[in-house]
Amino acid sequence: MADNLKGKIKEYGLGTKTSYDGHRTLNKDGTFNVTKTNRPFLERFNFFHSLISMPWWRFFVIILIGYFVINIFFAGLYVWIGVENLTGINSSDNAKAFLEAFFFSAQTVTTLGYGRVAPIGVTANIVAAIESMLGLLSFALATGMVYGRFSKPRPKIKYSSHAVVAPFKAINGFMFKIVNPHENQLLDVEANLTLSMKKDDSGARDFYQLELQIPKVIFFPYMWTIVHPIEETSPLFNLDEACVLEKDAEFIVSIKAFDESFSQHIYSRSSYKASEIKWGEKFVYTVKSENGGMIVDVGRLDETEKINLN
């Protein structure tokens, strides 16, 4: 059967000679389930990617920690060279002197400067000059990072938690639903569905490009049920639930769309393992007309009901 199937992919970039069994290639959030080891220490870090991609709360925590570390470091330098080189600090208490130096450092690194405390002498002025330059560069970098995070398009397409195998016309079909829960408009939305299955007991896998009933829509204001008809040319033809589980099937989804808000293309990915497929169930229609408009119930994205297969 496999020799006659259409859409078989010779190389998908995910490896055809893999030994994994029961593990997914692509996580539900679209990230690849891959861990790279034995790398040089410096190659393990990509600070720009990490700062752009991490959650907002973690980003601001790192910015705040960096701000305090810089000011603590320079406050220590001012105390080390002597707080007598800073006008306006006349305390003999080391803790209070350090605190005053810390606040002076905060004024210097932000180029604010209230004028009550000022450096005197060559050494203190050199340290203050270096700190002010570091502050300008740091805040410019932080501002660029904030802008980069705001300007980066983030696809928020929501996928149904399960796929289904349900009746489709006179045959059956593999189906899942997607929706854009936000108000931004997506245009020219294209769907791509790939099936990965074990070829034999050796662990080798085959990849198949699955034909979709509708691979592209121009507008995407509602939910979209993406359907792969299980015809004779489909790799799922004559396979039941037990066989799909045995073959450790994984359905890899890729969505491409044009986001009007950012005026650029966005990409979204997800996957469904064989255990995440409901056989003999269909999705409930969750779009209705009310008060002269259409209402999409996003909360019912995963709702299904039992149905007999063809």
Side-chain angles (χ1 to χ4, degrees), residues 187-253:
L187 306 176
D188 293 332
V189 185
E190 298 180 32
N192 183 289
L193 183 61
T194 302
L195 170 62
S196 168
M197 290 194 302
K198 287 196 300 185
K199 183 191 302 184
D200 47 43
D201 294 335
S202 67
R205 302 182 74 86
D206 280 332
F207 291 85
Y208 301 94
Q209 183 80 44
L210 300 185
E211 295 184 4
L212 301 178
Q213 177 214 11
I214 302 176
K216 180 178 180 178
V217 293
I218 304 301
F219 304 111
F220 186 37
Y222 309 127
M223 291 185 184
W224 181 14
T225 301
I226 299 175
V227 181
H228 162 64
I230 305 178
E231 302 171 315
E232 291 185 5
T233 56
S234 170
L236 295 175
F237 188 70
N238 285 336
L239 297 185
D240 57 14
E241 182 176 3
C243 191
V244 171
L245 286 168
E246 181 183 355
K247 287 179 174 291
D248 190 33
E250 180 177 4
F251 296 81
I252 300 172
V253 185

Side-chain angles (χ1 to χ4, degrees), residues 25 66 74 174:
T25 303
F74 277 98
F174 173 87

Side-chain angles (χ1 to χ4, degrees), residues 279-300:
W279 294 71
E281 295 191 28
K282 70 173 185 177
F283 287 111
V284 174
Y285 190 69
T286 57
V287 179
K288 63 180 180 179
S289 176
E290 187 175 307
N291 298 326
M294 302 299 292
I295 296 179
V296 179
D297 192 343
V298 178
R300 299 176 64 194

Side-chain angles (χ1 to χ4, degrees), residues 66-279:
Y67 176 77
F68 276 103
V69 167
I70 289 174
N71 285 309
I72 289 172
F73 172 76
F74 277 98
L77 278 182
Y78 291 126
V79 172
W80 180 66
I81 64 176
V83 292
E84 62 272 10
N85 292 295
L86 300 176
T87 61
I89 301 179
N90 300 313
S91 176
S92 58
D93 186 346
N94 292 334
K96 187 175 181 180
F98 179 84
L99 191 61
E100 290 277 8
F102 176 86
F103 289 126
F104 170 70
S105 173
Q107 297 169 26
T108 303
V109 78
T110 57
T111 67
L112 184 60
Y114 288 113
R116 185 180 70 84
V117 180
I120 54 176
V122 175
T123 304
N125 276 284
I126 289 176
V127 174
I130 294 173
E131 184 179 10
S132 62
M133 177 58 69
L134 179 63
L136 288 172
L137 296 176
S138 299
F139 279 98
L141 180 62
T143 302
M145 287 293 180
V146 171
Y147 174 77
R149 291 179 63 89
F150 271 110
S151 62
K152 179 183 177 182
R154 297 179 183 274
K156 297 295 185 180
I157 294 175
K158 192 173 182 179
Y159 297 81
S160 57
S161 59
H162 290 78
V164 301
V165 174
F168 175 71
K169 297 183 178 179
I171 56 177
N172 295 317
F174 173 87
M175 311 175 189
F176 63 94
K177 292 176 73 173
I178 62 174
V179 66
N180 176 23
H182 297 275
E183 296 298 329
N184 62 310
Q185 297 300 318
L186 300 180
L187 306 176
D188 293 332
V189 185
E190 298 180 32
N192 183 289
L193 183 61
T194 302
L195 170 62
S196 168
M197 290 194 302
K198 287 196 300 185
K199 183 191 302 184
D200 47 43
D201 294 335
S202 67
R205 302 182 74 86
D206 280 332
F207 291 85
Y208 301 94
Q209 183 80 44
L210 300 185
E211 295 184 4
L212 301 178
Q213 177 214 11
I214 302 176
K216 180 178 180 178
V217 293
I218 304 301
F219 304 111
F220 186 37
Y222 309 127
M223 291 185 184
W224 181 14
T225 301
I226 299 175
V227 181
H228 162 64
I230 305 178
E231 302 171 315
E232 291 185 5
T233 56
S234 170
L236 295 175
F237 188 70
N238 285 336
L239 297 185
D240 57 14
E241 182 176 3
C243 191
V244 171
L245 286 168
E246 181 183 355
K247 287 179 174 291
D248 190 33
E250 180 177 4
F251 296 81
I252 300 172
V253 185
S254 175
I255 304 293
K256 175 185 176 182
F258 183 81
D259 191 330
E260 276 192 332
S261 299
F262 294 95
S263 295
Q264 52 186 300
H265 285 96
I266 61 170
Y267 299 87
S268 177
R269 298 181 298 268
S270 189
S271 71
Y272 296 95
K273 291 290 289 183
S275 59
E276 296 171 334
I277 303 173
K278 294 182 177 181
W279 294 71

